[in-house]
Amino acid sequence: MNTANSNTWLNDLNPPQREAVTHGDGPLLVVAGAGTGKTRTLAYRVAHLVSQGVSPDRILLLTFTRRAAEEMLKRASSAVAPESATVKRVWGGTFHAIANRILRMYARPAGLSPDFTIMDRSDAEDFLNVVRNGLSLSQKDRRFPRKSTCLDIYSRRVNGSEDLPAVIRKDFPWCEMWQEDLKTLFREYVERKQKQDLLDYDDLLLYWNYLVQDDKSAESIGGRFDHILVDEYQDTNGVQASILSGMRRQNKNITVVGDDAQSIYSFRSATIRNILDFPQQFPGARVVKLEQNYRSVQPILETTNRVIGRAQERYSKELWSNRSAGQRPQVITCRDEDEQDEAVIRRVLQHYEQGIPLRKQAVLFRAAYHSNSLELALARKNIPFRKYGGLRFLEASHVKDLISLLRIVENPRDEMAWFRVLQLLSGVGPVTAAAAFGHVRDNGYSPAALESFKAPPSARDELASLALLMKDLARMGGEAPSTQVDRVRRFYLPLLERNYENPAPRANDIEHLAQLATRYKTRKLFLDELILDPPVSTGDFAGPPSKDEDWLVLSTIHSAKGLEWDAVFLIHAADGCLPSDMATGSDGEIEEELRLTYVAMTRARDFLYVLWPLRYYHRSAGISDRHSYAQLCRFFTADVLKTMEEIKQRGPSGVEEGAASGKLGAKIAARIRSMWD
């Protein structure tokens, strides 16, 4: 690359960003505060390495979403040479996607079949439930933990650094009586997966980790890359940190970018220790801090700096902005939830009239149910909104049906896929499905064996059609995945119409799957990519169509991380809600709640409002008057409040409580006293 072009894109960087981008060899930690240009820095770091002669296919870029990897590589490509495709050869993707790619290459040393299939979370829950029922754990005298809880415990154990008793004692104390049964359940779950060549999300990381703990495998896998770059390092767990250590035994070229102040995913086994201890894990590491904020006005940063300044363990940094003017953040005290809703809606509409679209405004909250009252108030006023969260694409039943049909062809040992598909057929219940799968298993896991299975008369025709489908798909293995999906669709649509209400939008999702399949060369790639990075919505769960293309954003704080809006409303900023009363059992939990508050506040560009109700009714007001009083979130100390404008919400009469009403109260008190003069 010529020098002129290099100077052009390096000039886009401020001094600390340039220091990080042009770092040479050795470990590098970039502590990137909120809104400080993290994505640009990491993308330009890739561009710089390529411009210095590092082969793109010897660079590994690890992110937490595929979209993030694509965005960074797109920026890197534009910087190096817009017409060049070299950057596309960079190994970019999520930890799980890269794990899958590596395990396909190193399946034999890992003790895997190259044809292993991957279960998403809901499949893993169902499989765990099958094992649970097989062990008769669901028939105990006292209620055994649900399948989702069991999988949470299992995942927390394998991704964290604590053993099973410690995990249960700390995070699932109500399950302590089941500790030995859970250990039996998890052992059987692992053995069943291994026999059937099935991997869940956790397995992808575990197998990769154990591979790079072996000297020979670590040298081979780690030796493929001259440089490793990791985004959002504060969100990594213990297994991911161990993988990186194993990959960098000899070559110490590793760049990690993250913000300790935004470490908020301990419930996913992420640990802030990874970023705090990076200089000890990689001695000699350079630490570069990015503190110039390109998002928020300075008054917002003055408040958020004081909030995060209360953290006990952190990389000290002071965010600042060239946008010095702006409204001070407001903390608004409301009488109750209804008044909080009114305050939010009034200000949202005021900003809308000032030219800020609804979609550039967001209401954030600690827990999903905190927006229930507001949603009703918005609906009454006909204000469109979207709440982020809900079912992912692969959690829709009809999508899982079609994927299961493809998974059977890819891995005939996949018991869960067989059971799902077989029970779609007329006359096939759990007993017949088990017998049919047993027949397939006894015949070398050949799907064609269905032809010789003695099925009940009511099931014979559809079982014969399923056997024919399996034979066709086996024969079509070399054809385009879209052609195979189309063949499955012709078989499945009659089942869809019979088994589900409102089949039309579900059929549209199946059509969408066929379109997605056109992007892939093989069925295996299509299935892997779909499970590891699925679309986020489905037609059948979408609301009714609306002509209004603008909507207010409602989101949990966790879902809002990485996003930004012109105006942000943080509601229910009361102790017990924020911090959650379920997350104050230890200093570490309270510290994470502090960081969660900081993340919410730093999403705001121009306007930040923090609202809290003085009282919470035990039932809806009007049904009962029983209520309790709240306190402002403990993180808004006197020192923080000095940087904010304190407002008491006006009541229905328009009189500001605490001002005029205070004078009236004084008069009333005086009149009552005067009765005894």
Side-chain angles (χ1 to χ4, degrees), residues 596-612:
L596 194 63
T597 305
Y598 173 79
V599 166
M601 298 172 72
T602 53
R603 301 309 94 199
R605 293 194 190 101
D606 303 309
F607 302 97
L608 173 62
Y609 303 95
V610 177
L611 302 97
W612 68 290

PDB file of all heavy atoms in Angstrom, residues 596-612:
ATOM      1  N   LEU A 596     -23.961  -1.636  34.986  1.00  0.00           N
ATOM      2  CA  LEU A 596     -25.179  -1.705  34.175  1.00  0.00           C
ATOM      3  C   LEU A 596     -25.841  -0.321  34.099  1.00  0.00           C
ATOM      4  O   LEU A 596     -26.310   0.103  33.033  1.00  0.00           O
ATOM      5  CB  LEU A 596     -26.133  -2.726  34.790  1.00  0.00           C
ATOM      6  CG  LEU A 596     -27.303  -3.194  33.936  1.00  0.00           C
ATOM      7  CD1 LEU A 596     -26.827  -3.919  32.691  1.00  0.00           C
ATOM      8  CD2 LEU A 596     -28.216  -4.109  34.748  1.00  0.00           C
ATOM      9  N   THR A 597     -25.872   0.374  35.210  1.00  0.00           N
ATOM     10  CA  THR A 597     -26.412   1.738  35.231  1.00  0.00           C
ATOM     11  C   THR A 597     -25.602   2.642  34.320  1.00  0.00           C
ATOM     12  O   THR A 597     -26.158   3.450  33.552  1.00  0.00           O
ATOM     13  CB  THR A 597     -26.399   2.280  36.666  1.00  0.00           C
ATOM     14  OG1 THR A 597     -27.101   1.374  37.525  1.00  0.00           O
ATOM     15  CG2 THR A 597     -27.036   3.655  36.744  1.00  0.00           C
ATOM     16  N   TYR A 598     -24.295   2.514  34.383  1.00  0.00           N
ATOM     17  CA  TYR A 598     -23.391   3.310  33.540  1.00  0.00           C
ATOM     18  C   TYR A 598     -23.631   3.025  32.059  1.00  0.00           C
ATOM     19  O   TYR A 598     -23.698   3.948  31.240  1.00  0.00           O
ATOM     20  CB  TYR A 598     -21.950   2.982  33.926  1.00  0.00           C
ATOM     21  CG  TYR A 598     -20.891   3.596  33.041  1.00  0.00           C
ATOM     22  CD1 TYR A 598     -20.522   4.924  33.181  1.00  0.00           C
ATOM     23  CD2 TYR A 598     -20.232   2.831  32.076  1.00  0.00           C
ATOM     24  CE1 TYR A 598     -19.531   5.486  32.377  1.00  0.00           C
ATOM     25  CE2 TYR A 598     -19.256   3.376  31.270  1.00  0.00           C
ATOM     26  CZ  TYR A 598     -18.905   4.699  31.427  1.00  0.00           C
ATOM     27  OH  TYR A 598     -17.921   5.249  30.627  1.00  0.00           O
ATOM     28  N   VAL A 599     -23.795   1.756  31.711  1.00  0.00           N
ATOM     29  CA  VAL A 599     -24.059   1.389  30.315  1.00  0.00           C
ATOM     30  C   VAL A 599     -25.333   2.062  29.825  1.00  0.00           C
ATOM     31  O   VAL A 599     -25.394   2.617  28.721  1.00  0.00           O
ATOM     32  CB  VAL A 599     -24.152  -0.142  30.161  1.00  0.00           C
ATOM     33  CG1 VAL A 599     -24.764  -0.520  28.809  1.00  0.00           C
ATOM     34  CG2 VAL A 599     -22.772  -0.775  30.292  1.00  0.00           C
ATOM     35  N   ALA A 600     -26.392   2.029  30.643  1.00  0.00           N
ATOM     36  CA  ALA A 600     -27.657   2.652  30.244  1.00  0.00           C
ATOM     37  C   ALA A 600     -27.480   4.140  29.990  1.00  0.00           C
ATOM     38  O   ALA A 600     -27.946   4.673  28.971  1.00  0.00           O
ATOM     39  CB  ALA A 600     -28.709   2.427  31.327  1.00  0.00           C
ATOM     40  N   MET A 601     -26.786   4.832  30.865  1.00  0.00           N
ATOM     41  CA  MET A 601     -26.651   6.285  30.763  1.00  0.00           C
ATOM     42  C   MET A 601     -25.780   6.700  29.587  1.00  0.00           C
ATOM     43  O   MET A 601     -26.008   7.742  28.967  1.00  0.00           O
ATOM     44  CB  MET A 601     -26.097   6.838  32.070  1.00  0.00           C
ATOM     45  CG  MET A 601     -27.010   6.587  33.265  1.00  0.00           C
ATOM     46  SD  MET A 601     -26.251   7.027  34.838  1.00  0.00           S
ATOM     47  CE  MET A 601     -26.255   8.810  34.725  1.00  0.00           C
ATOM     48  N   THR A 602     -24.782   5.887  29.262  1.00  0.00           N
ATOM     49  CA  THR A 602     -23.860   6.254  28.174  1.00  0.00           C
ATOM     50  C   THR A 602     -24.424   5.933  26.798  1.00  0.00           C
ATOM     51  O   THR A 602     -23.736   6.105  25.796  1.00  0.00           O
ATOM     52  CB  THR A 602     -22.499   5.554  28.350  1.00  0.00           C
ATOM     53  OG1 THR A 602     -22.692   4.141  28.504  1.00  0.00           O
ATOM     54  CG2 THR A 602     -21.764   6.103  29.552  1.00  0.00           C
ATOM     55  N   ARG A 603     -25.685   5.471  26.724  1.00  0.00           N
ATOM     56  CA  ARG A 603     -26.315   5.284  25.410  1.00  0.00           C
ATOM     57  C   ARG A 603     -26.822   6.614  24.848  1.00  0.00           C
ATOM     58  O   ARG A 603     -27.179   6.694  23.676  1.00  0.00           O
ATOM     59  CB  ARG A 603     -27.524   4.343  25.514  1.00  0.00           C
ATOM     60  CG  ARG A 603     -27.281   2.927  26.045  1.00  0.00           C
ATOM     61  CD  ARG A 603     -26.181   2.210  25.355  1.00  0.00           C
ATOM     62  NE  ARG A 603     -24.925   2.368  26.074  1.00  0.00           N
ATOM     63  CZ  ARG A 603     -23.723   2.171  25.535  1.00  0.00           C
ATOM     64  NH1 ARG A 603     -23.609   1.829  24.266  1.00  0.00           N
ATOM     65  NH2 ARG A 603     -22.629   2.334  26.248  1.00  0.00           N
ATOM     66  N   ALA A 604     -26.876   7.669  25.667  1.00  0.00           N
ATOM     67  CA  ALA A 604     -27.506   8.933  25.281  1.00  0.00           C
ATOM     68  C   ALA A 604     -26.531   9.866  24.569  1.00  0.00           C
ATOM     69  O   ALA A 604     -25.409  10.081  25.037  1.00  0.00           O
ATOM     70  CB  ALA A 604     -28.071   9.623  26.514  1.00  0.00           C
ATOM     71  N   ARG A 605     -26.972  10.433  23.467  1.00  0.00           N
ATOM     72  CA  ARG A 605     -26.179  11.430  22.757  1.00  0.00           C
ATOM     73  C   ARG A 605     -26.410  12.826  23.328  1.00  0.00           C
ATOM     74  O   ARG A 605     -25.462  13.529  23.672  1.00  0.00           O
ATOM     75  CB  ARG A 605     -26.545  11.441  21.269  1.00  0.00           C
ATOM     76  CG  ARG A 605     -26.171  10.207  20.472  1.00  0.00           C
ATOM     77  CD  ARG A 605     -26.296  10.518  18.973  1.00  0.00           C
ATOM     78  NE  ARG A 605     -26.175   9.327  18.149  1.00  0.00           N
ATOM     79  CZ  ARG A 605     -27.196   8.672  17.609  1.00  0.00           C
ATOM     80  NH1 ARG A 605     -28.430   9.096  17.825  1.00  0.00           N
ATOM     81  NH2 ARG A 605     -27.009   7.605  16.872  1.00  0.00           N
ATOM     82  N   ASP A 606     -27.676  13.259  23.375  1.00  0.00           N
ATOM     83  CA  ASP A 606     -27.984  14.662  23.682  1.00  0.00           C
ATOM     84  C   ASP A 606     -28.827  14.855  24.940  1.00  0.00           C
ATOM     85  O   ASP A 606     -28.662  15.854  25.634  1.00  0.00           O
ATOM     86  CB  ASP A 606     -28.730  15.293  22.490  1.00  0.00           C
ATOM     87  CG  ASP A 606     -27.939  15.207  21.196  1.00  0.00           C
ATOM     88  OD1 ASP A 606     -26.768  15.609  21.205  1.00  0.00           O
ATOM     89  OD2 ASP A 606     -28.484  14.738  20.182  1.00  0.00           O
ATOM     90  N   PHE A 607     -29.727  13.928  25.216  1.00  0.00           N
ATOM     91  CA  PHE A 607     -30.641  14.098  26.343  1.00  0.00           C
ATOM     92  C   PHE A 607     -30.695  12.813  27.161  1.00  0.00           C
ATOM     93  O   PHE A 607     -30.863  11.726  26.616  1.00  0.00           O
ATOM     94  CB  PHE A 607     -32.056  14.441  25.845  1.00  0.00           C
ATOM     95  CG  PHE A 607     -32.122  15.694  25.006  1.00  0.00           C
ATOM     96  CD1 PHE A 607     -32.110  15.610  23.618  1.00  0.00           C
ATOM     97  CD2 PHE A 607     -32.171  16.952  25.600  1.00  0.00           C
ATOM     98  CE1 PHE A 607     -32.158  16.751  22.836  1.00  0.00           C
ATOM     99  CE2 PHE A 607     -32.229  18.110  24.830  1.00  0.00           C
ATOM    100  CZ  PHE A 607     -32.214  18.011  23.446  1.00  0.00           C
ATOM    101  N   LEU A 608     -30.556  12.978  28.477  1.00  0.00           N
ATOM    102  CA  LEU A 608     -30.610  11.833  29.384  1.00  0.00           C
ATOM    103  C   LEU A 608     -31.558  12.153  30.529  1.00  0.00           C
ATOM    104  O   LEU A 608     -31.413  13.189  31.201  1.00  0.00           O
ATOM    105  CB  LEU A 608     -29.211  11.516  29.935  1.00  0.00           C
ATOM    106  CG  LEU A 608     -29.135  10.443  31.031  1.00  0.00           C
ATOM    107  CD1 LEU A 608     -29.637   9.102  30.513  1.00  0.00           C
ATOM    108  CD2 LEU A 608     -27.704  10.323  31.560  1.00  0.00           C
ATOM    109  N   TYR A 609     -32.526  11.266  30.735  1.00  0.00           N
ATOM    110  CA  TYR A 609     -33.496  11.416  31.813  1.00  0.00           C
ATOM    111  C   TYR A 609     -33.475  10.160  32.679  1.00  0.00           C
ATOM    112  O   TYR A 609     -33.548   9.044  32.165  1.00  0.00           O
ATOM    113  CB  TYR A 609     -34.903  11.619  31.250  1.00  0.00           C
ATOM    114  CG  TYR A 609     -35.018  12.806  30.317  1.00  0.00           C
ATOM    115  CD1 TYR A 609     -34.893  12.637  28.934  1.00  0.00           C
ATOM    116  CD2 TYR A 609     -35.251  14.095  30.804  1.00  0.00           C
ATOM    117  CE1 TYR A 609     -34.988  13.714  28.070  1.00  0.00           C
ATOM    118  CE2 TYR A 609     -35.347  15.183  29.944  1.00  0.00           C
ATOM    119  CZ  TYR A 609     -35.216  14.990  28.575  1.00  0.00           C
ATOM    120  OH  TYR A 609     -35.303  16.058  27.722  1.00  0.00           O
ATOM    121  N   VAL A 610     -33.373  10.359  33.974  1.00  0.00           N
ATOM    122  CA  VAL A 610     -33.410   9.256  34.936  1.00  0.00           C
ATOM    123  C   VAL A 610     -34.666   9.442  35.777  1.00  0.00           C
ATOM    124  O   VAL A 610     -34.821  10.461  36.453  1.00  0.00           O
ATOM    125  CB  VAL A 610     -32.153   9.250  35.822  1.00  0.00           C
ATOM    126  CG1 VAL A 610     -32.239   8.146  36.869  1.00  0.00           C
ATOM    127  CG2 VAL A 610     -30.892   9.104  34.970  1.00  0.00           C
ATOM    128  N   LEU A 611     -35.587   8.480  35.715  1.00  0.00           N
ATOM    129  CA  LEU A 611     -36.875   8.615  36.390  1.00  0.00           C
ATOM    130  C   LEU A 611     -37.063   7.514  37.430  1.00  0.00           C
ATOM    131  O   LEU A 611     -36.632   6.372  37.222  1.00  0.00           O
ATOM    132  CB  LEU A 611     -38.032   8.560  35.385  1.00  0.00           C
ATOM    133  CG  LEU A 611     -38.018   9.613  34.271  1.00  0.00           C
ATOM    134  CD1 LEU A 611     -37.403   9.031  32.996  1.00  0.00           C
ATOM    135  CD2 LEU A 611     -39.432  10.127  33.983  1.00  0.00           C
ATOM    136  N   TRP A 612     -37.741   7.882  38.532  1.00  0.00           N
ATOM    137  CA  TRP A 612     -38.038   6.876  39.545  1.00  0.00           C
ATOM    138  C   TRP A 612     -39.323   7.241  40.274  1.00  0.00           C
ATOM    139  O   TRP A 612     -39.592   8.405  40.540  1.00  0.00           O
ATOM    140  CB  TRP A 612     -36.878   6.710  40.522  1.00  0.00           C
ATOM    141  CG  TRP A 612     -36.637   7.898  41.417  1.00  0.00           C
ATOM    142  CD1 TRP A 612     -36.155   9.114  41.052  1.00  0.00           C
ATOM    143  CD2 TRP A 612     -36.878   7.964  42.835  1.00  0.00           C
ATOM    144  NE1 TRP A 612     -36.080   9.947  42.136  1.00  0.00           N
ATOM    145  CE2 TRP A 612     -36.505   9.261  43.247  1.00  0.00           C
ATOM    146  CE3 TRP A 612     -37.355   7.062  43.774  1.00  0.00           C
ATOM    147  CZ2 TRP A 612     -36.609   9.677  44.578  1.00  0.00           C
ATOM    148  CZ3 TRP A 612     -37.454   7.470  45.096  1.00  0.00           C
ATOM    149  CH2 TRP A 612     -37.083   8.765  45.485  1.00  0.00           C
TER     150      TRP A 612
END
